[in-house]
Amino acid sequence: MKIKANGLELEVEDSGADGTQAERPVVLLISGLGLQLTDWPPALVQGLQDAGFRVVRFDNRDAGLSTHLDALGVPNLLWVGLQHRLGLKPRPPYTLEDMARDALGVLDALGIARAHVVGMSMGGMIAQRLALLAPERVLSLTSIMSSSGARGLPGPDSRILKSLLQRPPSGSPVDLVEHYLRIFTAIGSPDFHVDEAELRARILASVRRSHSPAGTLRQMAAVIGDMDRAERLGRIRAPTLVIHGKADPLVPYACGLDTARRIPGARMLGIEGMGHDLPSGVVERVLPALIEHLRAASPERPGATEGAHP
């Protein structure tokens, strides 16, 4: 369903839309760079619902079926990256705080006063921004395979950079599937099996639903331009769980450790053999810890609409 939030139209999936889960504590899932709400593993979404939570997912701006801001143009990432390395403040088309306001707008539109906020990769950065922007709205924070954004942290290894810089020969579904299959294989979890046929089918479904390379570049510019988040993470008071793969070649494990170090009282869950993805074996490891974290931070008398925000 479409909702109006922060001046945009955002596509939302709400397991409580029919009213049957309205009184459950809410988990807001925030997707990563270029990803869509459909990229959250179904087993994770279902596992949260089976544990008694109402799950809300949405497409970020410039992704999926939400508003695409093509009028803002395509940023020059080389220039944005150079500014970042020189310590200058880049001016991306929009910021991660803007994207956090989108997430807050989703809660407002659904009448949700407070939610557990869970983000993966770029979504973890947006979740951190949301916890800083509106602490009274965040029951707990979970940052998965993400980063504090601090200067000096390690980046992707050269093999990954090479894969990311390659472009598909055309925009045909066949070429796009092969392109993203190479990327997802390169950044994936070495110790957890992923069925290639299943992965191909997921990629094809995602490409057919929406494909916006320019939108992904604008999101990437927002990530690069978010230069002061690390220094502010010490202000977060929400119970925080940081989950990160020890074999992540895209956002190295040190980035997760740094995030957990900066947020007071944060718990760190490092997973051996996990890369930058959520295959079924990783979901099986993540779910028990995530559910325990969410339950510990849920109100004794949970109500998704209790004290609902107008």
Side-chain angles (χ1 to χ4, degrees):
M1 65 178 175
K2 287 281 197 308
I3 61 113
K4 297 278 190 180
N6 201 19
L8 306 173
E9 278 197 344
L10 301 178
E11 180 70 16
V12 175
E13 291 283 343
D14 177 9
S15 70
D18 61 1
T20 58
Q21 300 180 12
E23 295 305 311
R24 293 182 174 191
V26 176
V27 178
L28 179 69
L29 300 180
I30 307 179
S31 302
L33 179 73
L35 298 182
Q36 305 179 50
L37 65 85
T38 51
D39 288 308
W40 284 97
L44 187 143
V45 175
Q46 189 61 54
L48 291 173
Q49 291 185 62
D50 291 345
F53 295 94
R54 172 182 170 187
V55 180
V56 176
R57 298 171 287 163
F58 69 101
D59 287 331
N60 287 310
R61 60 170 68 194
D62 265 333
L65 305 183
S66 290
T67 297
H68 288 246
L69 298 167
D70 294 325
L72 297 179
V74 180
N76 183 334
L77 289 186
L78 290 176
W79 173 235
V80 174
L82 178 61
Q83 289 177 299
H84 182 273
R85 285 192 294 273
L86 293 175
L88 304 175
K89 180 67 174 175
R91 300 182 67 178
Y94 48 78
T95 67
L96 288 187
E97 184 164 313
D98 292 329
M99 299 182 79
R101 292 184 186 279
D102 296 346
L104 190 60
V106 170
L107 297 181
D108 289 346
L110 297 178
I112 296 169
R114 295 185 295 165
H116 300 283
V117 181
V118 179
M120 63 170 164
S121 197
M122 179 189 73
M125 303 173 196
I126 297 170
Q128 294 165 27
R129 275 291 177 192
L130 180 54
L132 291 167
L133 175 68
E136 74 283 359
R137 308 291 296 279
V138 177
L139 286 169
S140 74
L141 168 66
T142 304
S143 183
I144 304 174
M145 54 190 180
S146 191
S147 176
S148 68
R151 292 173 63 83
L153 288 173
D157 65 34
S158 58
R159 174 179 60 95
I160 299 304
L161 282 176
K162 182 178 178 181
S163 295
L164 293 175
L165 291 173
Q166 291 176 344
R167 292 292 177 263
S170 79
S172 72
V174 172
D175 284 342
L176 290 175
V177 168
E178 292 301 323
H179 172 69
Y180 287 113
L181 181 66
R182 284 192 295 271
I183 292 177
F184 293 154
T185 300
I187 67 176
S189 299
D191 290 2
F192 294 89
H193 174 71
V194 175
D195 183 83
E196 183 176 316
E198 180 183 327
L199 179 56
R200 283 180 179 275
R202 292 207 314 266
I203 295 171
L204 180 59
S206 180
V207 166
R208 286 176 170 169
R209 186 173 184 264
S210 176
H211 180 242
S212 176
T216 300
L217 292 177
R218 287 189 289 271
Q219 291 183 349
M220 192 175 297
V223 170
I224 297 171
D226 197 46
M227 296 181 63
D228 62 353
R229 189 177 73 256
E231 288 69 30
R232 301 185 181 195
L233 293 184
R235 304 176 188 176
I236 291 177
R237 293 296 178 262
T240 299
L241 174 64
V242 177
I243 300 173
H244 213 108
K246 294 186 176 182
D248 192 330
L250 181 63
V251 182
Y253 184 57
C255 299
L257 289 174
D258 188 71
T259 302
R261 178 181 66 82
R262 290 174 181 273
I263 299 176
R267 289 177 52 221
M268 181 74 205
L269 173 62
I271 300 179
E272 296 284 352
M274 173 186 168
H276 201 76
D277 63 347
L278 292 171
S280 58
V282 169
V283 171
E284 290 173 5
R285 292 284 308 278
V286 165
L287 260 177
L290 178 57
I291 290 170
E292 178 186 9
H293 171 64
L294 299 178
R295 284 177 172 164
S298 293
E300 291 185 8
R301 298 177 61 187
T305 57
E306 182 181 343
H309 216 71

